[in-house]
Amino acid sequence: MIARRSLIALSAGLVMSAGLGLPSWAEETFKVGLILPMTGPFASTGRQVEAGVKAYIAAHGDTVAGKKIELVVRDDAGTADQTRRIAQELIVNEKVNTLAGFGLTPLALSVAPVITQAKVPAVVMAAATSSITQASEYFIRTSGTLPQYSVPVATWAHENNITKVVTLVTDYGPGIDAETWFTKEFKAKGGEVVEAVRVPLQNPDFAPFLQRVRDAKPDAVFVFLPSGVGSLFMKQFVDRGLAEAGIKLIGTGDITDDDILNGMGKPALGTITAHFYAAAHDSPENAAFVKAFKDANKDMRPNFMAMGGYDGMHAIYAALEATKGDADGAALIKAMKGLAWTSPRGPISIDPETRDIIQNIYMREVKDVNGELQNVEFKTFKDVKDPVKSGQ
Amino acid sequence: MSGARSEARDRATEQLRRGNAWRLYEIALWIAAAAAIFVLPSKMLLLTEIAITALFAISLDLVLGYAGIVSLGHAAFFGLGAYAAGLFAKHVFAEPVTGLFAAAVVSGLAGFAASFLVLRGSDLTRLMTTLGIALMLAELANQLAWATGGADGLSGITIGPILGVFAFDLWGRTGYVYSLAALFILTFVARHLVNSSFGLSLRAIKANPVRAAMVAIPARNRIIVIYTVAAAYAGVAGALLTHTTSFVSPDVLAFHRSADVLLVLVIGGVGYLYGGIVGAVIFTVLRDWLSVSTPQYWMFWIGLILIAIVLIGRERIARWDSFLPASLQLGIKRLATWRPGATLRESR
C-alpha cells in the first residue's frame, strides 16, 4: 500500500517537474505575484491595493510588449513569515517575474533576502517605513513614506501661527517615524512640542490620552494612526470637547482615509492633513481613475492604498515596455529607476538612487462636497523626496 | 502481597515496553516525510512550515495532552526562541545548530520560571496566566526596539550554513531537511519521555492530581520539569522559523499563534505525540489550499471545517473505517498497530 502510494506521488512529482522544465508556452506570460493581507486586521489595505491593481489592468489591458500579464494573488494575513514563504514559493514554483503588494513594513522587510538572492523585483504598494527600500536593491516603492508627508504638516503649521503642539501617534514603527519627523521639522522652525503621546497599537481607546492632550492646552494636536481606527478617534476627539477648547486637529492623511472618511460624519469636518493622494484630487486623470475604480468596485472609494497599487502596476508595465519584453529582474529594476509619469495623484517619479517615490504632497481640509465628505486640497508641496534618505 | 506488587510492576514494564516499540504507521510517516524531499521538490517551504508547526504542537501536547495544563500563551516560548535565535545569529554566531541550542536554553529557562506561576491556580487561572505571559513578551518585543527592531521586526540577520557546510537554498530544501531532522530527533526524545515511568506519572497527575499525590507522585516537580522541557521544544520550533526565514517580528508572539497551535492539536488529537504532526499536516495543507483558491474567504471555510470536526467528533472521524466489514476493520487495525518483532496476530 505504501509502495503504491509513493509510486503515485513519485509519478505526480515527475509530471510536475517535467512541467517546470517546459518554458516554451510560459514565455508568453509575465507573472506578477501580488502578496497582500486579505484577511485579518489589515484586510482593508489588501482590498484597496488589489482593487487599484485590477483597475489599472482593466484600464490598460493585460498585454504589454507582446506579453500577457498574469496576476497571482495570495493572502499573507499580515503575518511576516507567511509573506516570506509565499514570496519564495511564488518565485520558485510559480516563476513569477515580479512581486508586488506588501501591506505592512515587517511584511515587506521579510522578503528582502529572498528577492536579493533570486534577483526578482518587488514593488512596495503600501508599506511606508522609510528603511524598506534600503533593505534590498530589488525594492521599488509606489506608495510613500511617513516622513515624506509628516514634514509638510510641520511646515504648514508653522506658517499658520500654530506654535504649541501635542503629538499623538500609534506606538510602532510608522508612528514613531511620523512623530520624529514632524517634531524635528516643527522645532527647527521654532515651534514647541509640549507633549508626545504614544498610543498602544493594541488598545484603541483614545479617551485617557485625549484628556492629557486637552489638559496640555496646545494650539493643535498632530495625529498619526494606522488607517482604520480614524473613525473611533474622531468620535472621541469630539466627545472630549477638544474642538470646543479650540484645539485644531492636524495630521497625516491616514486619519482621514478616503475609504472610511464618509462614515466619520461631522466630527471630521475641518481636519487638516497632508498626504499624497485624495479621491477628490482635481485632475482629468484622477476623475477617470475614480470613475473606473467605482465602476469596478461597488460602493468603494479609492484611497491612497489603491493609488499605490495602481501606480505600482504602471511601474511594472512601463518597465516591461522599456525592456521590450525582457523579463530579467535586473533589467526590470534598472528600467524602473528614474521612471516619471503623470499619475492620478499628480506628477510622480522613481528616484534612481533610492528607488523610492518622489511626489507632490498636498495639504487638505475635510469638507462636505455634494453630500460626501472629501479631503479637499488647498496647498501643494512639489516633488517631495523621502527626507530620511535625502539626508535632511 | 509481594507477588501482587511484582505482577503490577511486570504489567507496567510491559506497558512501557509496548509504548516504546515502533509502530508501522510511525515508520511509514517518517519514510514518507523523508521521501518528500525527492518526491515533492516544489513543496519544500510548505513542508518546512508543517515540520515547524508540528514541533510546536508536540511541545503543547507535552503540557496539555500529558500533564493536563491548558495554555493560551504557548507562543511565548515559541517567540522567545525565535528572537533568541535571531539575536544569537546577529550578534554571536551565525551557525544555526548552535543557535537552536541557544534558543532551547533561553526558552527552557523562561519555561522553568513560568512553571511556578502555572503551578498556582486551576485551569482558568492558568489560561489567564499563560495568555498574560505571552502578551507581556509581545509588548516587550515591541518596546525594546533598539534590540528587536520593534514592530518592524528584526531584519538583517544572516544565517550561516548548517554546521558550516549546508547553505540555505532558495528552493527551501536545506531548510526542510534541517527542520525535519530537528523534528525527528525531538519527537524521538519526547517519545521516550512520555513512554517512561515519568510519562506515566504525568498521565496520573492529569487524570487525578489528588490520587496521584496519594501514591506519592511529586506532581509539583513533575510539572516543573515537563513545562521546562515543553518550553525548550517550543523555543526550538521558533528558532527553526527564524533560521528558515532569516526574519523575526513581534508576530511570533502574537495570540493567533497560540490559538492556531491549540487548533492544530485539537484537529490532530490531544495526548499522543503524533496528534501534533497529523494536525499540523491537515491544518497547514488545508489553509494553504484554501487561501490559494480563495484569498479573501479562506478563513470562512477553515471555520466551517472546524465546526464540522467538532460536531461530528474527531473520534468518529478517526473511526472512519467503522462502516467497513468487520474482517477488513480487524485487518486494518492489525496493520496499523503492527510493530517489528511481532507477528500480525500478536499485536493488539
Side-chain angles (χ1 to χ4, degrees):
Chain A
M1 195 172 96
I2 296 156
R4 204 185 66 194
R5 197 182 300 162
S6 49
L7 202 66
I8 294 168
L10 187 69
S11 45
L14 283 176
V15 170
M16 264 154 50
S17 43
L20 291 177
L22 287 173
S24 56
W25 53 271
E27 273 174 6
E28 304 303 319
T29 59
F30 181 92
K31 282 192 179 180
V32 179
L34 190 62
I35 311 174
L36 290 166
M38 306 294 288
T39 56
F42 303 98
S44 70
T45 301
R47 233 184 28 240
Q48 280 276 355
V49 175
E50 191 199 15
V53 165
K54 290 197 165 155
Y56 189 88
I57 296 175
H60 297 82
D62 61 356
T63 316
V64 185
K67 297 220 167 186
K68 193 171 160 55
I69 303 290
E70 191 187 326
L71 203 58
V72 187
V73 185
R74 291 279 193 278
D75 170 38
D76 62 14
T79 314
D81 60 289
Q82 289 296 328
T83 318
R84 152 94 186 203
R85 176 175 73 78
I86 294 165
Q88 213 167 333
E89 277 184 357
L90 286 177
I91 291 171
V92 297
N93 294 341
E94 296 280 335
K95 308 255 181 255
V96 295
N97 302 96
T98 177
L99 290 171
F102 312 110
L104 300 163
T105 301
L107 311 185
L109 287 175
S110 75
V111 304
V114 184
I115 59 171
T116 309
Q117 197 182 351
K119 298 189 168 47
V120 169
V123 182
V124 181
M125 294 170 162
T129 303
S130 178
S131 63
I132 295 172
T133 51
Q134 289 162 321
S136 169
E137 289 288 311
Y138 284 84
F139 274 130
I140 77 147
R141 171 154 44 198
T142 56
S143 48
T145 76
L146 273 155
Q148 198 176 31
Y149 46 86
S150 298
V151 169
V153 185
T155 314
W156 177 86
H158 169 72
E159 285 166 3
N160 288 272
N161 303 322
I162 291 171
T163 52
K164 235 174 109 181
V165 168
V166 171
T167 59
L168 189 154
V169 300
T170 299
D171 191 7
Y172 75 131
I176 290 157
D177 261 10
E179 181 196 285
T180 310
W181 287 85
F182 174 85
T183 306
K184 197 172 167 181
E185 179 70 9
F186 196 58
K187 280 191 174 159
K189 290 260 169 27
E192 188 193 356
V193 174
V194 285
E195 205 173 336
V197 183
R198 290 181 183 177
V199 190
L201 186 61
Q202 307 289 349
N203 172 20
D205 179 15
F206 301 103
F209 302 103
L210 285 170
Q211 193 57 49
R212 272 170 68 190
V213 173
R214 196 182 164 161
D215 295 344
K217 294 197 179 72
D219 298 329
V221 53
F222 168 82
V223 181
F224 163 81
L225 303 168
S227 70
V229 286
S231 326
L232 182 66
F233 176 80
M234 286 296 175
K235 191 179 172 304
Q236 297 194 336
F237 184 83
V238 175
D239 289 352
R240 291 272 140 182
L242 269 77
E244 290 153 36
I247 300 170
K248 261 191 118 42
L249 179 56
I250 58 177
T252 64
D254 310 76
I255 50 169
T256 58
D257 181 347
D258 276 308
D259 202 9
I260 53 170
L261 179 59
N262 234 339
M264 290 182 189
K266 268 194 173 166
L269 286 171
T271 307
I272 307 282
T273 57
H275 218 256
F276 59 78
Y277 178 70
H281 178 68
D282 189 14
S283 77
E285 290 89 1
N286 189 44
F289 166 66
V290 173
K291 189 179 178 305
F293 188 93
K294 281 188 171 170
D295 287 348
N297 305 279
K298 263 188 192 161
D299 301 327
M300 247 168 102
R301 185 156 78 173
N303 71 358
F304 58 95
M305 303 284 186
M307 197 69 260
Y310 187 85
D311 283 334
M313 277 319 279
H314 180 89
I316 294 168
Y317 272 45
L320 196 57
E321 250 160 33
T323 63
K324 299 191 172 59
D326 180 5
D328 174 61
L332 284 172
I333 204 85
K334 192 162 168 255
M336 286 177 191
K337 289 180 190 175
L339 277 179
W341 72 98
T342 305
S343 137
R345 69 177 107 168
I348 59 175
S349 63
I350 303 295
D351 188 334
E353 273 142 41
T354 63
R355 286 160 280 105
D356 219 327
I357 188 166
I358 302 173
Q359 59 189 337
N360 291 347
I361 299 297
Y362 307 94
M363 298 301 306
R364 313 95 50 90
E365 181 177 354
V366 177
K367 284 185 174 166
D368 190 324
V369 183
N370 304 329
E372 267 191 78
L373 289 192
Q374 294 281 16
N375 288 301
V376 179
E377 295 165 357
F378 61 85
K379 183 183 167 72
T380 306
F381 291 86
K382 279 202 182 315
D383 303 330
V384 182
K385 283 190 182 191
D386 173 33
V388 180
K389 274 164 289 194
S390 59
Q392 267 185 27
Chain B
M1 190 183 141
S2 92
R5 191 190 284 171
S6 84
E7 193 190 320
R9 195 167 53 213
D10 285 351
R11 274 226 308 273
T13 317
E14 168 62 18
Q15 196 182 341
L16 288 177
R17 194 185 64 77
R18 198 180 302 147
N20 252 326
W22 283 84
R23 298 276 154 65
L24 189 63
Y25 72 85
E26 296 183 77
I27 298 166
L29 182 84
W30 292 111
I31 289 175
I37 300 167
F38 309 101
V39 178
L40 295 167
S42 66
K43 294 286 174 207
M44 290 290 110
L45 296 162
L46 190 69
L47 289 166
T48 307
E49 201 189 332
I50 292 175
I52 293 171
T53 312
L55 184 57
F56 189 24
I58 287 176
S59 156
L60 181 62
D61 202 17
L62 285 177
V63 291
L64 176 65
Y66 288 91
I69 296 171
V70 284
S71 169
L72 256 186
H74 215 51
F77 308 112
F78 181 84
L80 210 55
Y83 271 108
L87 291 169
F88 186 82
K90 199 171 173 180
H91 301 297
V92 187
F93 190 39
E95 198 283 316
V97 177
T98 343
L100 281 190
F101 281 105
V105 169
V106 170
S107 294
L109 285 176
F112 177 72
S115 66
F116 293 97
L117 290 173
V118 170
L119 281 171
R120 310 177 76 92
S122 57
D123 284 357
L124 201 60
T125 11
R126 277 173 184 165
L127 272 186
M128 302 310 283
T129 313
T130 49
L131 181 61
I133 292 169
L135 290 178
M136 269 166 56
L137 284 177
E139 193 50 40
L140 209 61
N142 188 28
Q143 291 298 325
L144 301 177
W146 56 269
T148 62
D152 294 342
L154 182 68
S155 54
I157 312 167
T158 322
I159 307 292
I162 299 166
L163 304 171
V165 184
F166 308 102
F168 287 98
D169 58 318
L170 199 57
W171 287 80
R173 178 182 287 214
T174 315
Y176 176 59
V177 174
Y178 175 55
S179 308
L180 186 65
L183 175 66
F184 178 74
I185 292 167
L186 289 177
T187 309
F188 189 75
V189 173
R191 234 176 144 275
H192 272 271
L193 195 65
V194 300
N195 289 322
S196 66
S197 51
F198 174 80
L200 280 185
S201 68
L202 279 182
R203 283 185 226 203
I205 295 166
K206 183 193 176 192
N208 191 332
V210 179
R211 199 186 298 162
M214 301 270 288
V215 294
I217 292 173
R220 207 182 138 81
N221 292 351
R222 297 281 150 99
I223 289 176
I224 291 173
V225 170
I226 196 68
Y227 205 74
T228 306
V229 170
Y233 266 55
V236 171
L240 288 174
L241 185 73
T242 303
H243 288 158
T244 51
T245 59
S246 51
F247 183 79
V248 197
S249 71
D251 184 75
V252 290
L253 291 156
F255 172 67
H256 73 84
R257 265 191 212 274
S258 303
D260 280 355
V261 74
L262 203 55
L263 271 183
V264 163
L265 209 51
V266 168
I267 294 174
V270 179
Y272 81 111
L273 289 177
Y274 286 88
I277 299 179
V278 172
V281 172
I282 296 175
F283 182 77
T284 316
V285 169
L286 208 60
R287 188 178 60 181
D288 183 64
W289 175 59
L290 288 171
S291 72
V292 165
S293 40
T294 149
Q296 281 202 35
Y297 307 110
W298 61 271
M299 278 187 159
F300 169 81
W301 295 108
I302 287 255
L304 200 68
I305 290 165
L306 283 174
I307 292 171
I309 289 176
V310 172
L311 282 183
I312 299 169
R314 200 177 39 74
E315 284 76 19
R316 232 180 291 168
I317 296 176
R319 280 189 278 109
W320 55 272
D321 56 352
S322 57
F323 60 90
L324 294 174
S327 57
L328 252 173
Q329 279 186 43
L330 189 67
I332 289 170
K333 200 169 176 185
R334 279 186 181 155
L335 203 61
T337 52
W338 180 83
R339 52 200 152 74
T343 65
L344 269 182
R345 194 154 293 278
E346 245 182 346
S347 62
R348 269 186 290 174

